[in-house]
Amino acid sequence: MIKTLNRSTLLTLICLAGICFALVMSTFESRAMQSADLYAMWLAGDFLSMGQPDQVYPANIDRFDMTPPVAWWPYVVQIDPEARIFPYIYPPIWAKLVSFMIGHVPFSVFDVTMLALHQALLLGSAFLALRLCGMRSVTLLVAATATYAALVMTMPIGIALGENQPQILVSFLIVAAFERAYSRHPKLAGGLLALAASMKVYPLLFIVIFAARRQWQTVAWFVIVGAGLALVSIALSGWALHAEYLRLLSVVSKSVIVTKFSFSIDALLATSFFQDQLVSIQYPRQVAQVLDWSAIAKGPIWVALSGVAQIAAIAGIAALAARHPDDALVMPLAATVFALLSPLSWAYTYLTAFVFLAGLVTRLGQKGILLCVVMAVAFHPTLAQHTLDITLFGVSSFWVIGLGLMGVMAGAFLTAVLGRR
């Protein structure tokens, strides 16, 4: 009994030390970056506070190419000439809420606060995900610590922290929704998923899992909370801004962004078959700087095929969820497949699935361990810095390896689900 207690206490102390070390190291590295993704939300709120709602969303109607509204650059260059600027692509409510802070809270305070929140949520996501996988007590602590430490040391999640990317919050809300449903709190589960969908639209796809499992209370509360948030958003921001946001979503769904970090099937198709049609993106005329990405507008056939693939994926996930109603790994499988088929996926979009990787170890044994090790090594900055600049088949080998690993991860989750007895 004493030996067991001492061993558990020692492991707990080691884990706490590991969490603190990973937290401090990743925080210092994140603070060295400019939080460009969070800054986009701040700028959208800033222009709303100035009474310029036409400068919240990018105006390009031909394709989405990650360039900001035209008024942003000349405004920002007066504040910080070195700043990187990305467009705001989230629902109006969050820009409106940020607009209330303008003039009262400096961006630096908002930035640090969100980084602290994201660090906590990243660790919380790992704990909740592995709890869903059936881990408890010291095993849960060790696995969650290892997951958190490994994630913050990878380039995809390091970038997400450095950019203060809202994906971290969205992933936490999705994982928390499924954990609450598993713990028999269906109302809270539906509300959490609705909140996630109010930040990035794609989480609404996960409702098919609850519907397939006949968890109707969760579905109902998702609809109720989601409708409530939509009404509040319209009341605060007005319908015109929401119409502009819906227009943007339509443009995004018909566009493809190709970068070294865009792990998606659309990006694969674009680089494989439409390389000569890709347009290198440049900031507005005030800046003679070519950016490290390109874009293309999908043709009608491509748009139709993408829609068919997405519908097939949703139907397949629903069928799998109905057949395996208690399997926690259906959700990360869905997260991986949805991201692969999304018109706009980055390396950190897969965070919702990454936090479940330790669950593959208990299901697949040595194969699960091998996948975790390979991903941790491939995405570690020491190796990634080299593979980013090494071309393979005419494109970045980091992108080729990353997209390939996302496909392998999807296959591993599917194998784990189908192989469960």
Side-chain angles (χ1 to χ4, degrees):
M1 178 68 178
I2 295 177
K3 290 182 179 180
T4 303
L5 179 62
N6 287 340
R7 180 173 177 273
S8 298
T9 302
L10 180 60
L11 284 174
T12 300
L13 291 174
I14 291 173
C15 287
L16 291 175
I19 290 171
C20 290
F21 177 77
L23 174 65
V24 171
M25 293 298 294
S26 60
T27 298
F28 272 110
E29 291 179 4
S30 299
R31 292 298 297 155
M33 294 178 62
Q34 179 216 351
S35 301
D37 287 335
L38 189 67
Y39 193 44
M41 184 180 293
W42 184 265
L43 286 173
D46 201 356
F47 276 90
L48 269 183
S49 71
M50 291 187 288
Q52 299 185 47
D54 60 317
Q55 294 299 315
V56 171
Y57 294 112
N60 193 335
I61 61 174
D62 297 323
R63 65 173 182 271
F64 177 72
D65 55 17
M66 287 292 290
T67 53
V70 293
W72 282 25
W73 183 257
Y75 175 72
V76 172
V77 77
Q78 299 175 19
I79 303 170
D80 183 3
E82 303 297 322
R84 293 176 300 125
I85 312 173
F86 297 148
Y88 177 72
I89 55 175
Y90 307 108
I93 186 173
W94 305 109
K96 187 64 178 179
L97 292 177
V98 167
S99 73
F100 296 139
M101 292 190 286
I102 303 298
H104 303 285
V105 179
F107 176 72
S108 58
V109 173
F110 182 51
D111 188 27
V112 171
T113 301
M114 290 305 299
L115 177 58
L117 176 63
H118 284 153
Q119 286 279 23
L121 294 180
L122 185 56
L123 180 59
S125 297
F127 269 94
L128 292 178
L130 299 179
R131 177 179 166 79
L132 269 171
C133 292
M135 297 183 189
R136 296 293 184 271
S137 190
V138 176
T139 302
L140 172 60
L141 178 61
V142 171
T145 300
T147 298
Y148 170 74
L151 285 175
V152 298
M153 287 190 291
T154 62
M155 182 172 284
I157 306 308
I159 289 175
L161 284 169
E163 299 283 2
N164 252 325
Q165 171 47 239
Q167 179 62 49
I168 298 173
L169 173 55
V170 171
S171 290
F172 172 80
L173 291 171
I174 294 171
V175 175
F178 279 85
E179 192 278 334
R180 287 295 82 195
Y182 176 81
S183 300
R184 302 181 186 277
H185 295 283
K187 296 179 182 179
L188 182 55
L192 289 170
L193 190 60
L195 184 58
S198 76
M199 300 192 68
K200 293 195 175 187
V201 177
Y202 84 90
L204 68 83
L205 298 175
F206 291 95
I207 201 64
V208 301
I209 297 177
F210 293 115
R213 290 171 172 172
R214 300 181 181 276
Q215 294 175 302
W216 301 120
Q217 263 197 303
T218 299
V219 174
W221 278 91
F222 171 83
V223 173
I224 292 169
V225 175
L229 287 169
L231 290 174
V232 170
S233 183
I234 293 172
L236 287 174
S237 311
W239 173 249
L241 198 57
H242 287 79
E244 187 68 12
Y245 175 64
L246 293 175
R247 180 201 62 80
L248 175 63
L249 289 182
S250 176
V251 174
V252 168
S253 69
K254 299 172 185 175
S255 306
V256 180
I257 297 289
V258 177
T259 76
K260 297 175 181 179
F261 297 94
S262 52
F263 299 163
S264 72
I265 291 176
D266 275 343
L268 174 63
L269 293 174
T271 53
S272 300
F273 302 106
F274 303 99
Q275 185 75 42
D276 59 332
Q277 299 179 37
L278 287 171
V279 178
S280 295
I281 304 305
Q282 186 173 331
Y283 272 132
R285 294 180 181 177
Q286 292 91 334
V287 185
Q289 177 187 2
V290 176
L291 305 176
D292 198 20
W293 67 75
S294 54
I296 185 174
K298 294 182 183 180
I301 296 176
W302 192 349
V303 171
L305 291 175
S306 294
V308 170
Q310 289 165 354
I311 291 171
I314 292 170
I317 291 297
L320 202 63
R323 182 169 294 187
H324 302 271
D326 300 316
D327 198 323
L329 296 188
V330 171
M331 192 273 276
L333 170 61
T336 307
V337 172
F338 292 158
L340 283 169
L341 295 175
S342 171
L344 197 62
S345 283
W346 313 107
Y348 49 70
T349 305
Y350 296 86
L351 174 60
T352 313
F354 288 162
V355 291
F356 284 87
L357 280 171
L360 288 176
V361 174
T362 60
R363 296 280 191 93
L364 303 181
Q366 293 181 347
K367 294 178 181 178
I369 295 174
L370 179 61
L371 176 60
C372 291
V373 171
V374 169
M375 291 184 70
V377 172
F379 291 142
H380 193 278
T382 303
L383 181 60
Q385 290 288 358
H386 296 286
T387 56
L388 277 170
D389 298 322
I390 297 175
T391 58
L392 191 64
F393 308 116
V395 294
S396 167
S397 58
F398 176 83
W399 179 81
V400 174
I401 294 168
L403 182 59
L405 284 174
M406 296 307 99
V408 172
M409 182 171 68
F413 280 124
L414 180 59
T415 300
V417 171
L418 295 178
R420 189 181 187 189
R421 299 184 184 279

